[in-house]
Amino acid sequence: SINVVIDRKQVSVAPGSTILDAAQSIGIDIPTLCYMRLHNTEYKCQPASCRICVVEVEGRRNLCPACATPVMEGMVIKTSSMRVLSARRMIVELMISDHPNDCLTCTKSGACELQDLARKTGVVDIHLSGKSQSEYEIRENKAIVRDMSKCIMCRRCEQMCSDIQSVHALSGVDRGFESVVGTAFDESLDNTMCVGCGQCVAVCPVGALMEKDDTDQVIKALADTDMTVVFQTAPATRVAIGEEFGLEPGTDVTGKLVTSLKDLGADYVFDTDFAADLTIMEEGTELIDRLNKFLNGEKTALPLLTSCCPGWVNFYESNYPDMLDLPSTAKSPQGMFGAVAKNYFAEKLNIDRKKMFVVSVMPCTAKKIEADREELKEDGNPDVDVVLTTREVARLIKLANIDFVNLPDGDYDSPLGESTGAAVIFGVTGGVLEAALRTVYEVLEKKTLPRVEFEAVRGFDGLKVATVTIVGQDINVAVAHGLSNARKVMEEIKNGNPRNLHAVEVMACPGGCIGGGGQPYHYGDGDILKARTNATYQIDEAKVIRKSHENPAIKALYEEYYEEPGSEIAHHQLHTRYTY
Ligand code: HC0
Ligand code: SF4
C-alpha cells in the first residue's frame, strides 16, 4: 500500500488510488462537481474538468485535481489551505457569473450542489462581471425540463446518457462561454433517442435538468370536490420517499405514505403493487404459453422480454423495431392499474371515468411519457391522469405542511390495495423476473416452491444470467439493468441468442426503479441504492403471501371481472402493443 499524509492525518491506500479516494477513506470531505462514482460499479466519471476538487501537494508548483491525481508514496497533501480555498472560490464565482440568479424560485434550491459550494467556499459576491450571461430557451417534453442557462458543463448527464445508458441523446455542444450539454441540432428530446429514464436528471448537480413538475394539476384535482381522486403508489417509492424528510435511506414508510396521501385529500389510496401481481398473472401466462409452444416444437417468440419499464420500452421500440414480437404484450403495472381503476373500479362506484382522476406516485420520469401513450387512453381520456415522481410527491407533502415523519401508518384501501411480496420486489433489478418465476414454477410444476427466493437474479451485476429447471426443462433467464447492459443482451439475441435465453428482464435505471430518475437524489451513491434494495427484500420477507397467484384480491378480480388471465376482456384492457 501507499502511505500519504492528508491534512496531518496518515493514511495507507491501495496503489492506483486517487487523492480523493484516500481522503474519502478517512472521512475528509473534498468538494467535487464533475466527478461521479456510480452504484458500486467500477465506473467512475472523472473528467477533472471542473477543478473544484483541487488540493495542494507539497513540492508541486500547481494545485492538483484530487479526483484524477494518483497518490504517491510520501505525498503530503493539504485539502483546505487558503491557496486551495481561493482557487475554489474563483471557480465557483466563474460558474455563478454565468448562471441565472433565480435561486429563490428554482425547484432545485436546497438540493443544488452549486448553491452548496457557494456556501462552503464562502462566496458572497461575484466580482467577475461585464460579460453577459448566456441564455437559452427552456425546452421540455412530457418528462424532462432542460434549462441550459443553468448548465455548468460538468457533463455528468452526458456520461449517464452515453456510457451507462448507451442512448447518446445528450452531449457537449458549442465552445467556450456558450458551451452547454444539449441535443444534436438543438432538437427537442422527443426527436432524439431519449427514452425518458431521467438518469440525466438524477445526476444533474444544478437545476439544468429537472423532472417536469405536474404537482399543479394534482392540486387542482384534489381541490375539485366533483372529482374522485385515486392514487397508486409504485413499489420503489415506499423505501425512498422518507429520505426527503430526513429519514435514513432504506426506511420503509409505506404506511406514512398512505396517510400523507389521504391527508392531501385523496379519495382512495391504492397500490401499484396490486397491479404488479396482476401483471405477473398476465405476463406469466404469456410466458407459460410461449414456453409450452417451444416445448412442443412450435414456433414462438423467445426470449420473452419484460415490458413494465417505459424507459426500456422506448429503448427497444426505437433501437430494435424489427424485434417487437419479443416483449410481453402485458401493460406495465402502472398501465394495468389505470385500466382497472377507470373501468372496473369506476363501474363499481358507478361514476363516469372522466370524473375519476388517477394519480401515480412513481420513482420514474419515463412513466409520465408512458401515461401519455394513446394505447393507455380511451376516447382521449387517459387511464392515468398524472404521474408524479417521488420528489414531486414529497414537495406536495411539504407544501401541505404535513409532518410526514410523525404520521401514523395508514392502510391501503380495498380492493386494489392488497399485494404480495412478489409485487414489491418489482422495484429492484431482478425482481420482476423473480416474481414471475415464483408463479410460473408453481403453475407448471403444480407444486409448492421449496424456496421462494431466486438469489441468482439478485444483486447489482449489470447482467445476471441463470438457469432454472422447471418440469425437467432448463429455462435460461437474464436480467439487465442500465441500458448499456440491455443493449449487450439485445445484440446477443439479435445474433442468434447463443445462450438460448427464454426470458429477459430489463430495467432502464441502474439498480432498477429504486434508482429511478424521479427518486430522492442519490447521485450514484451505491450505499443508498443498497439500503433501498435491502428494505425492499425485507418488505417481501415480512409478507405472509409472497406469490402473485395467491393474492386473494387478484383471484377475486378475475372471478368478478377479468375471467382468467389472457381472456378477451383482459387482453382488451390489460395488454398493449408496440410501435416504432
Ligand atoms: Fe417501477 Fe413498476 S416496478 S416499473 O420500476 O413493473 O416506475 O417502483 O411502479 O409500472 O409495479 C416504476 C417502481 C413501478 C410499474 C411496478 C413494474
Ligand atoms: Fe422508470 Fe424504473 Fe424504468 Fe427507471 S427502471 S425508467 S424508474 S420504470
Side-chain angles (χ1 to χ4, degrees), residues 93-114:
E93 283 186 18
L94 256 173
M95 284 177 185
I96 296 177
S97 74
D98 191 21
H99 194 90
N101 287 325
D102 64 354
C103 296
L104 278 178
T105 49
C106 178
T107 323
K108 194 65 181 262
S109 189
C112 172
E113 290 182 50
L114 183 59

Side-chain angles (χ1 to χ4, degrees), residues 75-145:
M75 254 187 185
V76 178
I77 300 148
K78 289 183 191 151
T79 71
S80 335
S81 66
M82 288 305 117
R83 218 182 127 205
V84 165
L85 182 67
S86 43
R88 287 187 190 147
R89 271 192 177 183
M90 176 69 97
I91 295 163
V92 175
E93 283 186 18
L94 256 173
M95 284 177 185
I96 296 177
S97 74
D98 191 21
H99 194 90
N101 287 325
D102 64 354
C103 296
L104 278 178
T105 49
C106 178
T107 323
K108 194 65 181 262
S109 189
C112 172
E113 290 182 50
L114 183 59
Q115 196 178 45
D116 203 36
L117 273 175
R119 188 182 44 77
K120 271 189 186 159
T121 54
V123 170
V124 287
D125 200 4
I126 303 302
H127 306 283
L128 309 143
S129 52
K131 190 114 190 172
S132 65
Q133 293 192 352
S134 29
E135 275 181 35
Y136 299 82
E137 217 182 300
I138 295 177
R139 311 288 297 265
E140 65 173 50
N141 68 4
K142 290 278 169 206
I144 293 167
V145 182

Side-chain angles (χ1 to χ4, degrees), residues 348-507:
K348 214 176 163 73
L349 294 182
N350 200 14
I351 58 170
D352 181 350
R353 61 178 279 142
K354 294 196 185 73
K355 288 280 167 207
M356 179 182 278
F357 196 86
V358 174
V359 184
S360 302
V361 178
M362 294 279 144
C364 181
T365 47
K367 287 283 175 193
K368 290 177 187 267
I369 300 174
E370 180 185 87
D372 194 45
R373 286 177 81 107
E374 284 310 313
E375 306 88 79
L376 274 65
K377 291 180 184 167
E378 213 173 282
D379 299 333
N381 178 258
D383 291 344
V384 170
D385 292 272
V386 171
V387 176
L388 296 182
T389 60
T390 317
R391 289 191 298 264
E392 287 167 271
V393 174
R395 234 176 272 148
L396 209 51
I397 294 170
K398 287 173 192 170
L399 280 178
N401 213 7
I402 292 170
D403 179 11
F404 188 85
V405 173
N406 294 310
L407 286 179
D409 285 344
D411 287 323
Y412 284 106
D413 289 305
S414 187
L416 315 180
E418 203 167 335
S419 68
T420 72
V424 72
I425 60 172
F426 268 57
V428 301
T429 166
V432 179
L433 199 66
E434 180 169 340
L437 286 173
R438 289 181 190 179
T439 288
V440 169
Y441 180 94
E442 295 208 346
V443 171
L444 286 179
E445 288 272 0
K446 299 191 178 60
K447 66 176 189 216
T448 308
L449 262 177
R451 191 174 149 70
V452 294
E453 291 89 359
F454 286 87
E455 255 92 22
V457 294
R458 296 187 174 190
F460 283 103
D461 287 349
L463 181 58
K464 293 164 277 188
V465 185
T467 299
V468 183
T469 310
I470 306 181
V471 288
Q473 177 71 34
D474 281 351
I475 307 296
N476 305 316
V477 299
V479 173
H481 59 127
L483 291 170
S484 57
N485 294 313
R487 193 185 288 284
K488 283 184 207 146
V489 194
M490 287 304 278
E491 289 301 316
E492 243 188 65
I493 296 168
K494 204 174 167 178
N495 292 316
N497 191 15
R499 294 187 218 237
N500 277 319
L501 295 170
H502 300 103
V504 177
E505 174 202 298
V506 176
M507 284 300 189

